[in-house]
Amino acid sequence: MNNITAAITAVGAYVPDYVLTNKILETLVDTNDEWITSRTGIKERRILKDDTKGTSFLAIKAAQDLIAKANIDPLEIDMVIMATATPDMPVAASGVYVATEIGATNAFAYDLQAACSSFLYGMSTAAAYIQSGRYKKVLLIGADKMSSIVDYTDRTTCIIFGDGAGAALFEPNYEGLGLQDEYLRSDAVGRDFLKIDAGGSLHPASIQTVEEGRHNIKQDGKTVFKYAVTNMADASEMILKRNNLTNADVDWLVPHQANKRIIDATASRMNLEDSKVLMNIEKYGNTTSATLPLVLNDFENLFKKGDTIILAAFGGGFTWGSIYLKWAYDKK
Ligand SMILES: CC(C)(COP(=O)(O)OP(=O)(O)OC[C@H]1O[C@@H](n2cnc3c(N)ncnc32)[C@H](O)[C@@H]1OP(=O)(O)O)[C@@H](O)C(=O)NCCC(=O)NCCS
């Protein structure tokens, strides 16, 4: 019988120094702090200003933070999964470069892309490899340099996104802790509502696609909002129901940080009190693949061994889901 569960045993994170506040955005587009704060909950985001660095820079820093905090030997890492929607380059996976740079030279690595659900899906993948017994240390990194695909003249997107990275180490657990259940879904109904139109095989880069601004992220905010609220709440309710959990059983909700109103709607459907709903959206905005590990890292001190955590995400595609996790350690 297979008694192995996959637990998170360490986390790490990195955000760049430059702070892009709502006040600064007021000088770039027709918007204001009051509108942004009330519609999204975001006050500021971090931006990687150095044009010579890509997402891998953020990912390496987050992984190094984890390695230093957990005091692990990178040579013991079997596998590196890099969840990202903004790889350094379309081909030559960024995860491979990151793994080599952090000294994980015994690992194999690749990228995983599911927009804002990348890290959540990556948790499923990392856990499956651990539960199979095949690998002992899987490093999952969520990182995005969203500023590289944001049009800073488009007020419907530039107020939302920020840059950042977070990492989580998955290891076998023999006490039944770690990932308990997952509910993951996708639906191409979302294909046209949140996308980067050009630069792929359908519309390769051309002078025309550049001139038309089709390499930037575009969204129909209202439609995305509607689907995000419904699906994130449905997924979170579903995972509670099928595991016979009530709101009292849940210690923490770790939601994707896209919009405070989406998070509030999810928490409300779960009947969760505000104190259990973890948010740092005001500091970082939506960092896409990095939101979940940034929350895990920021609130690591709160978590106790055995705590019940529900993670939930929604992203382009559409992609969404929730994961039921039992936290596996008390922070030293
Ligand atoms: C983008 C978003 C914040 C917009 O909020 P909203 O309440 O839906 O706002 P609307 O799009 O209805 O716009 C309301 C008005 O504000 C205006 N507006 C849009 N962006 C604005 C901004 N940055 N500042 C000021 N006004 C703005 C609109 O033009 C509109 O004006 P109008 O009524 O005169 O036409 C919201 O739709 C959202 O968060 N969507 C989900 C986005 C998301 O999470 N994406 C990532 C998914 S993982």
Side-chain angles (χ1 to χ4, degrees), residues 30-31 35 39-40 116 155-156 159-161 194 219 221-222 224-225 256 258-259 261-262 286 314-315:
D30 181 13
T31 191
W35 193 96
R39 300 290 177 119
T40 68
C116 291
R155 68 177 181 174
T156 67
I159 58 152
I160 291 174
F161 295 104
L194 176 55
Q219 67 169 349
K222 249 192 192 339
V224 175
F225 185 87
H256 171 51
N259 184 315
R261 291 185 292 145
I262 298 173
N286 182 349
F314 180 87

Side-chain angles (χ1 to χ4, degrees), residues 9 30 42 58 148 162:
T9 56
D30 181 13
I42 302 167
L58 305 168
S148 66

Side-chain angles (χ1 to χ4, degrees), residues 99-223:
T100 300
E101 287 296 303
I102 63 172
T105 49
N106 291 321
F108 75 105
Y110 59 81
D111 295 353
L112 186 157
Q113 206 276 71
C116 291
S117 304
S118 301
F119 192 85
L120 193 82
Y121 283 15
M123 288 180 68
S124 167
T125 309
Y129 274 109
I130 295 289
Q131 284 158 6
S132 74
R134 200 182 298 180
Y135 302 119
K136 297 267 185 283
K137 279 187 169 57
V138 177
L139 181 65
L140 173 64
I141 306 169
D144 271 303
K145 184 184 173 185
M146 294 304 289
S147 60
S148 66
I149 54 167
V150 165
D151 172 1
Y152 285 93
T153 65
D154 174 4
R155 68 177 181 174
T156 67
T157 51
C158 73
I159 58 152
I160 291 174
F161 295 104
D163 301 340
L169 184 68
F170 286 75
E171 292 187 89
N173 184 281
Y174 304 96
E175 300 175 275
L177 300 172
L179 203 137
Q180 307 292 309
D181 192 17
E182 65 183 29
Y183 177 84
L184 305 178
R185 288 293 180 272
S186 62
D187 187 340
V189 68
R191 189 168 154 103
D192 284 328
F193 296 124
L194 176 55
K195 64 179 176 183
I196 295 175
D197 187 47
S201 56
L202 189 59
H203 303 295
S206 67
I207 290 169
Q208 194 187 349
T209 62
V210 172
E211 283 175 353
E212 290 171 357
R214 289 164 63 192
H215 296 272
N216 292 316
I217 189 162
K218 299 259 188 330
Q219 67 169 349
D220 173 345
K222 249 192 192 339
T223 306

Side-chain angles (χ1 to χ4, degrees), residues 14-16 18 45-49 55 58 86 143-150 152 161-165 283-288 290 294:
Y14 175 77
V15 289
Y18 180 79
R45 351 62 212 114
R46 300 301 185 96
I47 303 294
L48 179 56
K49 279 292 194 183
T55 299
L58 305 168
T86 54
D144 271 303
K145 184 184 173 185
M146 294 304 289
S147 60
S148 66
I149 54 167
V150 165
Y152 285 93
F161 295 104
D163 301 340
K283 292 194 290 182
Y284 307 134
N286 182 349
T287 54
T288 301
L294 279 172

